[in-house]
Amino acid sequence: MRVLVVGSGGREHALVWKLAQSPDVKEIFCAPGNPGIAQLATCLPIGVTDIVELADFAEKMKVDLTVVGPELPLTLGLVDELSKRRLLAFGPNKLAAELEGSKVFSKAFMRKYDIPTPEAEVCTTRAEAENAVKTLGLPCVFKADGLAAGKGVVIVRDEADRDKALKLFFGERVFGSAGDRVLIERCISGDEVSFMVLCDGERALPLATAKDYKRVFDGDRGPNTGGMGGHSPSVFVDAATAREILIDIVNPTLRGMAEEGRPFRGVLYVGLMLENGMKPYVLEYNVRFGDPETQCMLIRMEDDLLPYLLGSARGKFEEGAKPAWKKEAGAAVVLSAEGYPGPFERGKPIEGIEDATAEDGVFVFHAGTAKSADGKLVTAGGRVLVVAARARGLSGALALAVRGAEKIRFDGKHFRRDMGTKAMEILRERTGSGLS
Ligand code: GLY
């Protein structure tokens, strides 16, 4: 089979890495890819929003399956364009991708189908927003309706934050048309977890649980990022909670989307808050794999990923399909550029990847990297590399990933060392050791 993967991040590198191990995959293309992906696939100079060019390529090269990584091409209708040409694609169509593409749509959908989610109001003016803050109280959360590259969510704790958020959303209008409508949501506290399921329009197959850490600094301090690392299993979701999430959230979501004439195929990533460590509330839906959750999850996947992606794309999983996972844990540590998620410099030479991967169980996935004019590997993004590690027990995997991260060198390298601290405490309470 010929597979085209769309995207250029660490998530897409992990997808290409896993698909390259499938006995049925003969050739992989990636658009646009990155230097790490280029070691496993043919990279193409086509951007993720070049919908017609991507479909033209898939048609011309007789690609058997296109796997769409990021949300933007999904909301722009890449899957619809491919389907129109009778080409198979993994991911939701434009109508189903609205679950992530519009927070106003997804909140109304959750209300309609009785899916637990924090109370919220939709505002289009500053005056409406001021009233909503009064009604909901502080703290609350401002969310831009449309896609904002992970930056459209602002937590408002006090009156000073409120004034800043009002200025950002309604004065400066920094989110452009994505901020035409703003959702103001009651803030709930607890443990945030990522729950990903593969869907074929009717059925959901849960993937291994995972957790990511979004704040840039140790101790969960500093601004939110796309994710600074994570681990699988998540530890915060036990078997009973996973069942509850499936019954109360995932199944009604799939039924509701089918009823709305938007059957959901692809990966549904539910971002949840476990309030008081217990009851799950949906904070957001994503319609694609999490990054870096995918990296720590896929290194644990025992079986071939391809049949699951094909089943989802065709609208029917094979009978008895159920992904199998290695008993070992997975961890991921993101190496970011100094300044990220704010402005950062590019073009810093990268060294030490071979040292890092020399140790058994360590994998390095490229994200924001590029080749300089003289062929050297250099930084080219905010999240530069992801060091993933698989080992017996979560503490072992986390320590191995941090050791790998230490071996890689570039100017301004930053990474978190504290991920999994609370997860380890929970494990110690549960099992008397940190090893499971
Ligand atoms: N790690 C968060 C995300 O993929 O949205």
Side-chain angles (χ1 to χ4, degrees):
M1 272 201 170
R2 283 180 159 175
V3 178
L4 166 64
V5 174
V6 176
S8 63
R11 166 185 53 205
E12 285 78 23
H13 190 177
L15 286 165
V16 167
W17 169 82
K18 186 65 187 163
L19 286 167
Q21 295 165 41
S22 169
D24 295 322
V25 172
K26 297 285 169 278
E27 193 169 14
I28 307 180
F29 301 100
C30 188
N34 64 37
I37 293 174
Q39 293 167 7
L40 302 165
T42 306
C43 290
L44 315 162
I46 309 178
V48 300
T49 58
D50 298 333
I51 304 302
V52 172
E53 288 83 345
L54 288 166
D56 284 348
F57 178 84
E59 194 166 22
K60 188 173 119 212
M61 295 305 288
K62 298 189 170 36
V63 165
D64 299 291
L65 176 70
T66 299
V67 179
V68 189
E71 60 278 16
L72 193 51
L74 294 168
T75 59
L76 292 175
L78 176 55
V79 170
D80 308 63
E81 182 64 32
L82 291 163
S83 307
K84 210 166 73 190
R85 303 180 192 207
R86 301 191 171 284
L87 295 166
L88 207 54
F90 173 81
N93 64 14
K94 190 173 177 169
L95 277 179
E98 218 179 338
L99 268 188
E100 178 166 358
S102 168
K103 293 203 164 37
V104 172
F105 168 78
S106 65
K107 188 61 86 173
F109 172 83
M110 285 186 268
R111 277 201 194 120
K112 179 168 175 187
Y113 291 95
D114 227 1
I115 293 164
T117 183
E119 217 185 314
E121 298 201 10
V122 180
C123 306
T124 53
T125 64
R126 187 183 170 112
E128 284 175 2
E130 282 169 0
N131 277 335
V133 176
K134 274 191 204 131
T135 311
L136 295 165
L138 294 173
C140 63
V141 187
F142 279 47
K143 294 181 170 180
D145 174 42
L147 296 181
K151 293 184 181 140
V153 176
V154 174
I155 299 173
V156 170
R157 293 180 203 286
D158 53 30
E159 287 175 6
D161 285 353
R162 179 202 57 193
D163 294 344
K164 263 191 247 160
L166 287 169
K167 190 167 164 213
L168 207 65
F169 281 81
F170 297 98
E172 296 165 2
R173 296 189 50 80
V174 293
F175 303 110
S177 59
D180 281 349
R181 296 187 293 176
V182 179
L183 202 68
I184 301 189
E185 191 175 82
R186 182 171 75 88
C187 188
I188 57 171
S189 52
D191 296 308
E192 211 176 321
V193 295
S194 316
F195 196 84
M196 294 188 282
V197 290
L198 292 169
C199 308
D200 67 0
E202 279 182 23
R203 266 203 309 153
L205 300 179
L207 293 166
T209 61
K211 171 160 177 66
D212 80 332
Y213 293 82
K214 293 199 172 69
R215 301 295 196 94
V216 70
F217 299 124
D218 280 359
D220 282 333
R221 289 176 303 109
N224 265 351
T225 68
M228 290 302 293
H231 50 76
S232 173
S234 110
V235 176
F236 293 85
V237 176
D238 58 16
T241 311
R243 235 183 346 266
E244 189 181 345
I245 294 169
L246 277 174
I247 292 169
D248 293 345
I249 293 169
V250 172
N251 293 342
T253 302
L254 291 192
R255 274 198 303 273
M257 288 298 278
E259 256 176 59
E260 297 291 312
R262 305 171 186 245
F264 192 94
R265 294 182 187 176
V267 65
L268 179 69
Y269 161 156
V270 192
L272 295 156
M273 186 66 88
L274 300 182
E275 201 180 29
N276 305 321
M278 298 294 290
K279 185 166 172 51
Y281 283 88
V282 180
L283 297 183
E284 62 177 12
Y285 290 110
N286 295 310
V287 298
R288 37 79 192 170
F289 285 104
D291 185 349
E293 292 93 324
T294 301
Q295 292 87 312
C296 33
M297 186 257 298
L298 280 185
I299 59 172
R300 297 185 57 216
M301 192 172 192
E302 192 76 73
D303 40 11
D304 187 354
L305 177 63
L306 183 72
Y308 296 102
L309 302 188
L310 284 173
S312 166
R314 288 177 179 141
K316 190 148 184 54
F317 290 127
E318 283 167 14
E319 221 42 63
K322 186 171 185 246
W325 307 98
K326 294 183 195 296
K327 290 231 172 344
E328 295 158 296
V333 170
V334 171
L335 306 188
S336 61
E338 187 175 5
Y340 172 79
F344 53 84
E345 288 180 14
R346 295 174 165 79
K348 310 284 183 196
I350 302 170
E351 283 171 358
I353 292 183
E354 276 168 20
D355 277 358
T357 50
E359 198 159 4
D360 244 15
V362 178
F363 311 84
V364 174
F365 297 113
H366 290 231
T369 67
K371 282 281 170 78
S372 64
D374 57 357
K376 292 215 172 79
L377 188 69
V378 295
T379 66
R383 292 194 289 177
V384 177
L385 293 162
V386 182
V387 182
R390 191 177 62 213
R392 188 172 158 267
L394 195 55
S395 55
L398 286 160
L400 192 56
V402 167
R403 221 163 39 238
E406 279 164 348
K407 291 180 185 156
I408 296 174
R409 301 177 296 281
F410 60 84
D411 243 22
K413 176 184 80 171
H414 166 72
F415 65 96
R416 278 184 64 167
R417 294 171 177 275
D418 70 327
M419 282 174 299
T421 310
K422 183 163 176 196
M424 300 302 301
E425 276 167 27
I426 293 175
L427 279 177
R428 270 191 289 274
E429 275 167 26
R430 212 181 272 164
T431 65
S433 84
L435 286 175
S436 14

